[in-house]
Structure formats: structure tokens, C-alpha cells
Amino acid sequence: MSEEQIKSLEAQFEARIARDEKIEPKDWMPEKYRQTHIRQMSQHAHSEIIGMLPEGNWITRAPSLRRKVALLAKVQDEGGHGLYLYSATETLGITRDELFEQLHTGKAKYSSIFNYPALTWADMGAIGWLVDGAAIINQVALCGTSYGPYARAMVRICKEESFHQRQGYEILVTLTKGTPEQKEMAQDALNRFWWPSLMMFGPTDAESPHTAQSMKWKLKRKTNDELRQQFIDQTVPQAELIGLKVPDPDLKWNEDKKGYDFGEIDWDEFWQVVKGHGPCNKERMKARIAAHENGQWVRDAAMAHAEKQINKKINKAV
Amino acid sequence: MKATKKEWPLWEVFVRSKNGLEHRHFGSLHAADAEMALENARDVYTRRNEGVSIWVVESKNITASNPDHNGEMFEPAQDKVYRHPTFYDLPDEIKHM
């Protein structure tokens, strides 16, 4: 294709997105659109399955059967969400094995929040309430994204996600009504997860080089800072309601902007964790790779069995 | 990394939400064979009573039209307005037709 033809195809493509048309897998798309989507969608998929690890650790230690079935169902959902997203990413012409390899070699990233440890039962509450809460805000914005398979996966995920946040908040509600030690445990979880949750929305708009392009492709419908503000405004009253204090001395209602002003985020910490120096980066990757490698014989055996069944059928037919 | 192993093939999943409705495409998944594809589809796509019946078909068995040929494929229908009831002029007195 000549450069001119590509230019004209690109112009048509941008016009389709501007008209709110969806792009489907076999449609022509600019190579950069494909690559950007593979990067963001796979990062999203990886976050779902790495996100299973901190919570999975607590399933056997859940304090009641009610909590255990809820946590089990939530972690199973995350696995399901990972699968929706991997499948959607594969429609862009990359294989599951390649995606896993990118994750295992560190070429692909996942959300930094999962590199923080889940130290107490209250962390299950804080993760559901804050981490899933932040994820929902990001994901609702993505339901209208231009790439059809991604948008459809997002709609399904959003439907399932709200139970996650509610079960988390309920855990904290219960703890704050408990003994002073239990209340302190809830406060401690909020103290540790507040700032990393704010970082989930990514760098400030000024520091986010991809934002303009992503907005144009509707891969982002709102900027990082807008989403972060929305999260803070909706979450602070929820903390106050159960008597927890948001660990930010600069947090203050601003009547003019009808939102909260908040303190400076520690971006050095953010970049350290992104670059692999968070508290649990190594542990998470080790657990993930071990799970994948230890499961290899199962995948091979299933494949061998399937092939044997096919051969049996063929032999019978002869 | 080890040499690339054989990947489980890809399957497309269709779910009937309730009797009276058609099966609709829900998504895809990898499975070694049809039976496993059905079981995985149950776990991945119907955890909250979303279905009463599931079809799975190996993706490679689907033949899809090429969107680059949408012109010759679908445009011929555009100028055939006489296929629609509103094309026909009727006296105003006629009510139910």
C-alpha cells in the first residue's frame, strides 16, 4: 500500500471513531491503534490475574463461611475477567502464549497496586472497597471505548464488579463496629491502601504522554486526573460514614470546584513500584510463573487426551 | 522460556439466555476439546445464571466475511427500497395493511 493510501485509510478510520462507530477485529486499523490496544488490554488482563494473588492468600483464613464464599467468588471472577480480556486481546492477532510470555519476562506491566502486600484481614476489605472501587471508575469509562471486543468485555466486567466493592466495604463496616483492635485494623488498612489506590489512575495529565491519542481513540473517555478526582469525591464520604480517617492532612472540601482538594501524591514511589521495586513485585512474578510452569503438564495431558479421542474417532470411521 | 508448546485451540461460545431467545455470541476461550470448552464456558460465561444452553464451536471452523468487501457484499441491498413496505403508495382510507 502506498503512503497516500494509508493516509486516506487512516483518515477514514479516525472519522469512523469520531462518529462513535465501533471497530471490529477484521476491520482495517492503523498499526499504532493495534499495538496500543494490545498493550493496554493485555496490561488490564494481567492485572486481573495477578490481582488474584494477594486475595487468594486469604481465602483459607477468611473469618467465616460467608466471607469465604464471597472471597472465593470474587477471586474466581477476577480469573474470569482475565479470560474475557485475554480473549479480546487475542482478536488483535497475538496469541495467549505470547501474552503470557510478555507478562513473565516483565515486558508487559500490570497494575502496580498488586505489588503491595495484603497483611491483615482488613486488607481484604480495603482492596474490595478502594482497589475495586478505583477499577470500576476506570472500567465504566471504558465501556464506550472504540474497540468492540474491549468494550463488550468491559460491560460484562462492570456488571460483575460492583459486588466486589460492596463485599469489601461490608468487611470494613463490620470491623469498624467491632473491638478497638478491629477498628484500628480497618484504619491501618485504609492508611496503607489509600495512596496506592490514588496512584491506580496513573500519572497526572501533565505527565501522561499517551492521553491525547487515547482520548481520540476513545480508549480513554476521561483523563487520569478527572477519574482520580471522581474517585476521591465519592470515597471520602464513604470513609467518614464508618468513622475512618483518610490519611491525607491536606484533604479539604473545596466549595468552588464542588470537590476535594488533596495532598501531593508520592510519584517517586509510584515509579519505583512500576519499575519493579515495590514490596511484592518479585513475589508476585514468582508465584505467577510457578503457577504457569506447574500447570504445563496438565495442559499437555489435556491436549494429548483430546488428540487421542480424535484419533479414536477416525480409526472407528475407517 | 521453553520452546513454545502446543496451545489449546480457540473456541467461540454462544449462550441462550432463556428459552424463547436465540443463542448469542458471548466470547471465546481456549480448551483442549469440545467437552472442556463447554465446561469452561459454563464457568467463564454463566456464573450468574446467564444461560440455559451453551454452544461451542472451534473458531477455525467459522468462515467470516471480509469487512474490506463490505461494498460488494452489502451495498446492493441499499438501493432496493421496493423491498420495504413504505415504498408502496396506498389510499389514505386503508388502515391496517
Side-chain angles (χ1 to χ4, degrees), chain A residues 42-317:
Chain A
S42 68
Q43 187 172 324
H44 200 157
H46 298 327
S47 301
E48 295 284 355
I49 62 161
I50 296 293
M52 297 166 81
L53 299 172
E55 291 180 302
N57 280 335
W58 278 93
I59 291 172
T60 56
R61 291 176 286 172
S64 69
L65 187 57
R66 179 187 157 90
R67 294 287 185 232
K68 185 181 282 196
V69 292
L71 188 57
L72 201 53
K74 177 177 192 283
V75 173
Q76 194 190 3
D77 272 355
E78 315 292 6
H81 296 174
L83 285 174
Y84 305 155
L85 288 163
Y86 280 125
S87 299
T89 314
E90 287 171 70
T91 62
L92 290 164
I94 186 165
T95 67
R96 184 76 58 95
D97 277 351
E98 287 169 322
L99 291 168
F100 282 156
E101 182 163 339
Q102 289 182 351
L103 172 64
H104 297 160
T105 55
K107 188 178 168 237
K109 300 278 182 238
Y110 54 89
S111 180
S112 281
I113 191 79
F114 302 117
N115 290 317
Y116 290 86
L119 301 176
T120 71
W121 173 249
D123 289 5
M124 294 305 99
I127 289 174
W129 174 38
L130 300 172
V131 176
D132 287 85
I136 289 170
I137 287 184
N138 268 326
Q139 288 165 350
V140 167
L142 280 170
C143 288
T145 188
S146 62
Y147 189 54
Y150 194 26
R152 290 193 286 275
M154 265 357 321
V155 169
R156 196 183 300 282
I157 288 172
C158 285
K159 265 191 212 156
E160 300 184 346
E161 198 91 55
S162 87
F163 123 69
H164 298 181
Q165 194 185 16
R166 293 172 69 125
Q167 69 89 34
Y169 192 62
E170 192 194 82
I171 288 172
L172 291 179
V173 170
T174 308
L175 284 172
T176 54
K177 286 184 190 155
T179 63
E181 288 84 1
Q182 287 171 326
K183 196 172 171 187
E184 199 177 310
M185 200 196 271
Q187 180 64 54
D188 170 63
L190 173 57
N191 292 349
R192 283 181 289 108
F193 277 94
W194 176 254
W195 292 104
S197 300
L198 298 191
M199 294 176 197
M200 281 177 71
F201 297 96
T204 59
D205 295 349
E207 301 287 324
S208 178
H210 301 304
T211 292
Q213 178 68 77
S214 293
M215 296 280 278
K216 206 162 126 201
W217 284 338
K218 297 177 180 166
L219 188 49
K220 259 187 189 168
R221 310 295 306 239
K222 289 181 179 176
T223 70
N224 295 355
D225 286 335
E226 283 169 342
L227 294 170
R228 187 168 13 246
Q229 185 70 48
Q230 186 185 337
F231 174 75
I232 293 170
D233 292 345
Q234 89 176 38
T235 309
V236 171
Q238 294 168 355
E240 285 169 351
L241 187 71
I242 55 174
L244 293 178
K245 197 175 167 353
V246 172
D248 178 358
D250 297 323
L251 189 77
K252 217 176 86 198
W253 179 254
N254 180 333
E255 186 57 32
D256 290 340
K257 74 169 185 186
K258 299 271 179 234
Y260 286 89
D261 290 332
F262 54 96
E264 183 68 25
I265 292 169
D266 183 351
W267 293 112
D268 286 341
E269 177 182 319
F270 173 79
W271 290 115
Q272 281 299 314
V273 182
V274 169
K275 284 176 189 147
H277 309 301
C280 299
N281 295 58
K282 289 202 180 74
E283 196 184 322
R284 299 286 183 247
M285 280 327 293
K286 212 174 120 192
R288 171 60 210 154
I289 291 169
H292 187 70
E293 285 179 353
N294 295 338
Q296 185 66 53
W297 72 269
V298 181
R299 294 192 294 278
D300 291 345
M303 205 60 233
H305 174 75
E307 278 165 3
K308 215 157 90 183
Q309 296 306 320
I310 291 170
N311 288 337
K312 246 191 212 164
K313 254 189 215 161
I314 294 171
N315 289 339
K316 246 189 211 159

Side-chain angles (χ1 to χ4, degrees), chain B residues 51-69:
Chain B
V52 294
S53 163
I54 301 176
W55 292 345
V56 291
V57 56
E58 214 180 316
S59 308
K60 67 172 187 201
N61 292 325
I62 292 181
T63 309
S65 66
N66 182 346
D68 291 345
H69 304 155

